[in-house]
Amino acid sequence: MKQLMLLVLLLGSWRAGAQQAPALTARLGAVSLTFALGPDGRPNYRVQHGTRPVVNTSRLGVALADGQGFDGPLELVDSEIKNVDETWQPVWGEEKQIRNHYQQLTVRLRQPAAHGRRLDVVFRVFADGVGFRYEWPAQPRLQYFTVTDELTEFNLPANHQAFWIPGDYDSNEYVYQTTRLSAVNTTAITPIQRKAAPTTVQTPLLLKSDDGLYVSLHEAALLNYPALMLQVNPQTFGLSAHLVPDAVGNKAYLQAPEHTPWRTIVVSDKAPELLASRLILNLNEPSKIADPSWIKPHKFVGVWWEMHVNRASWNYADSSNLKLAGTNWQGLKPNGRHGANTRNVKRYIDFAARHGIEGVLVEGWNVGWEDWAGNWKEEVFDFVTPYPDFSVTELQQYAAARNVQLIMHHETSGAVTNYERRLDQALGFMQQHGYAAVKTGYVGRIIPRGEFHDGQWMVNHYTRTAEQMARRRIMVDMHEAVRPTGLHRTYPNWLASEAARGNEFNAWSEGNPPEHETILPFTRLMGGPMDYTPGIFRIKLESWNPARNQGKQVHTTLAKQLALYVTLYSPLQMAADLPEAYEKHLDAFQFIKDVAVDWDETRIVAAEPGDYVTIARRAKGRNEWFVGAITDEQARRQPLKLDFLSPGTQYLATIYADGKDAHWQQNPESYRIRQQKVDHRSVLNLQLAPGGGAAISIKPISAR
């Protein structure tokens, strides 16, 4: 269904200094947006939810290198309002179909006659928020231009509670802080790579007002532009745009016609509704892949976690100072710990085949890992040469015979120029040897030297990579890339990204606090799926390597690890632990085998950032539901109404719960499994241990 109403308001040219231009408003439901030119000709906007202010009057504008930017005075030429109400079906996702309903206000502006350059500001008002962007139409007086700053502001009405991580030009892998806006300061936080100013934070930024309004600030459709961060004014509670710079300090190089990404404001007075928002997805363009039938959401195991827990190594030898060209890789002395060897990979393939897991990821298969990190070195990997103990052809045939798909790994070590030179050959190698998916990595400082992970150059690289892989029918999971902004609608082969602090941090740092996974859906996952790598069953890590893992553990219960498959959405889900860890708990592993990764329906049952999240999802094409419930460090009782089930159908619920004595720190592997018959009138009472959770599969009895 699509309804379109177009109204063009020809207003003439309202000049600054003459009669002030009238304010323009767009609204849908409780959300309203008002645009105006101030007495000085500077454009501004404000947003309300009912009678409550969401964003007070805030500046708009873009500064250019030639000093003739769009920061005022400007003239209002005309405006246009249209209404759109349509539905579309994602290739994969959390729902079978998505409604895209908004009122659009386009404001056409012009610099005073001496310059006459034109700028459009396009607002889309949804029932759950606002998106807006700057657009430069084709015009004779503006063709090539350099953005030095974006002047967008989000002036907040009060000292909200904020859930934030530092603005780092290269990394999102931080623990979330929960403070008032007035207390935002990153000085005491150790930088992962390159932090911005002490009061700069990353998006998505979650805010909660004292009267219960939830606001998420982020962006959508990040293309050909640097990532948006926010500079916090602790005194006024105003936020201003901070764009990631390039190697010479500029922000973006553009050519008209062009536009920025959408700036997004998602708002609700109910936390679950914030998580149900599809505003960011709706602001992205439809899929560019005409035939997406080859794109397959899937689960996988892999040679990965054993390196993190110091059971194995990525590198084949313990040599150093090696050059990619000229090294006799066959002549290196093996260290005896190399994980990606043919025999070990077969072990994972056999495990995947026995349990119906579609894929096996292998990291460390290719030469170059001996001195790959920390050297700002360009020629690190060639992406096609295996170590002597890794047989590409033998493993390809072995996996294919067992209906298992090997997953490629391309770590770049930040040497992106090297990767781009070799990418065509690397993808050809993948196709030659039957690889349909790849995990990329960008650990370390970026080459071209001086560029950042989240700057315009790298943003364009990620897009080019997704496009090039789509042409070869290859799916991709990007790690250490810029945080998502809904581009998986446009490039559905871009299945997932990392771009946050994942499960791996539990293995080699102070770990992720138990509240971490209750914050991620409200922050990082607002932009798109995350490859969090859940499913760790051996919670205490010391037994893998007592000398190096002393005191290390995952900061959840085992049952919570199961629940994460539902609460942290991704069409690409890893069963991240080693096969021997699962072999000891095959009853619990059954949930990982059963849980879907593609969905027809999602219900946010209960949620409060930093405290708890409970989500129910219906599997694609089946009347089977899966539920995940998680809590922070506090024990919690979570009632679960099953009113989302089909009336008249009886189901069997299998409940994977924390044991009575479970505790994330003291007894994390205690769990219990029980079954009971349920229908749409049933209510389950889930008892979540500290740092714990519950996972439930609900299947029609008639289908068993």
Side-chain angles (χ1 to χ4, degrees), residues 224-226 244-247 251 253 414-418 420 446-448 451-464:
N224 194 31
Y225 206 74
V244 176
D246 72 353
K251 306 301 169 54
Y253 304 90
V416 185
T417 48
N418 176 57
E420 291 205 340
I446 294 298
I447 300 176
E451 296 293 338
F452 299 109
H453 285 73
D454 291 359
Q456 183 189 29
W457 196 93
M458 283 300 295
V459 165
N460 288 340
H461 163 77
Y462 305 132
T463 308
R464 286 194 301 269

Side-chain angles (χ1 to χ4, degrees), residues 16 18 20 71 124 228 231 236 242 258 267 334 336 365 373 396 423 438 442 504 610 669 691:
Q20 188 172 346
D71 51 353
R124 289 184 181 175
L228 172 70
Q231 184 78 37
T236 66
H242 180 98
E258 188 56 278
V267 57
W365 69 275
Q396 173 194 0
L423 184 57
V438 59
Y442 298 91
E504 65 190 15
E669 294 180 18

Side-chain angles (χ1 to χ4, degrees), residues 412-425:
T412 69
S413 188
V416 185
T417 48
N418 176 57
Y419 188 45
E420 291 205 340
R421 284 195 304 271
R422 300 176 185 272
L423 184 57
D424 190 63
Q425 181 187 16

Side-chain angles (χ1 to χ4, degrees), residues 495-560:
L495 291 180
S497 298
E498 185 186 34
R501 191 179 175 97
N503 225 0
E504 65 190 15
F505 274 82
N506 287 304
W508 36 262
S509 75
E510 70 276 10
N512 300 331
E515 71 173 6
H516 184 64
E517 295 91 351
T518 70
I519 297 174
L520 282 173
F522 289 95
T523 51
R524 158 63 181 80
L525 273 82
M526 292 294 291
M530 179 181 177
D531 181 17
Y532 188 73
T533 61
I536 303 302
F537 277 17
R538 189 177 294 189
I539 304 296
K540 302 282 189 177
L541 306 179
E542 193 166 327
S543 62
W544 293 121
N545 188 326
R548 299 185 62 182
N549 294 345
Q550 189 171 5
K552 293 181 180 178
Q553 73 160 97
V554 177
H555 292 190
T556 74
T557 64
L558 189 151
K560 184 174 181 179

Side-chain angles (χ1 to χ4, degrees), residues 330-364:
Q330 297 290 332
L332 293 180
K333 180 182 178 180
N335 61 21
R337 304 185 311 276
H338 184 226
N341 64 77
T342 299
R343 180 179 178 182
N344 193 37
V345 174
K346 285 183 176 180
R347 187 169 69 96
Y348 282 86
I349 293 172
D350 290 341
F351 179 83
R354 283 197 305 272
H355 297 286
I357 303 297
E358 295 96 327
V360 174
L361 168 72
V362 185
E363 294 197 7

